Amino acid sequence: QVQLVESGGGLVQPGGSLRLSCVASGITFRLYHMTWYRQAPGKQRELVAHIQMGNIPVYADSVKGRFTISRDNSKNTVYLQMDSLEPEDTGVYYCHAENLDYWGQGTQVTVSS
């Protein structure tokens, strides 16, 4: 049973921070590239950050310098540290394991004054 559970979202003011977590089960976590996506109302889901098995991170230009992706293979968890949040960061955030068609419920991030 593959399961991805995202958490850590909430309401934050511009300039604030949030730390998202995604716990995976049912897979050999250390063998998968992991990706964070987000989807804002009326928009396509977009890639936010990606981390390979070897812990090499890649970021979308829109979040580079503000977000940090990391993983802890001992906990089957991928994290997204979000700093200097902007209203444009608002959306539902999802994690995804490469080549697997399984998604969690996502976690809502709202950035508003």
Side-chain angles (χ1 to χ4, degrees):
Q1 184 75 33
V2 178
Q3 188 174 19
L4 301 170
V5 181
E6 301 95 341
S7 63
L11 174 64
V12 65
Q13 294 184 346
S17 297
L18 287 171
R19 182 175 173 86
L20 307 184
S21 299
C22 172
V23 180
S25 60
I27 63 172
T28 305
F29 181 79
R30 62 182 175 85
L31 300 181
Y32 284 86
H33 303 337
M34 297 296 298
T35 304
W36 282 100
Y37 292 85
R38 69 186 180 191
Q39 187 168 25
K43 294 185 176 181
Q44 297 272 8
R45 184 158 54 198
E46 64 175 336
L47 188 150
V48 176
H50 173 84
I51 188 164
Q52 298 179 352
M53 293 181 290
N55 294 335
I56 301 172
V58 178
Y59 301 96
D61 288 341
S62 60
V63 307
K64 193 174 299 181
R66 300 187 297 116
F67 290 11
T68 303
I69 188 171
S70 62
R71 67 192 296 164
D72 185 341
N73 289 339
S74 70
K75 298 180 179 180
N76 284 5
T77 302
V78 60
Y79 303 95
L80 186 67
Q81 177 67 44
M82 305 184 295
D83 299 319
S84 301
L85 282 162
E86 304 168 353
E88 293 76 16
D89 297 317
T90 294
V92 180
Y93 284 68
Y94 303 89
C95 69
H96 181 68
E98 182 187 26
N99 296 326
L100 295 180
D101 190 22
Y102 296 94
W103 299 83
Q105 294 298 307
T107 185
Q108 175 72 47
V109 172
T110 302
V111 185
S112 179
S113 60

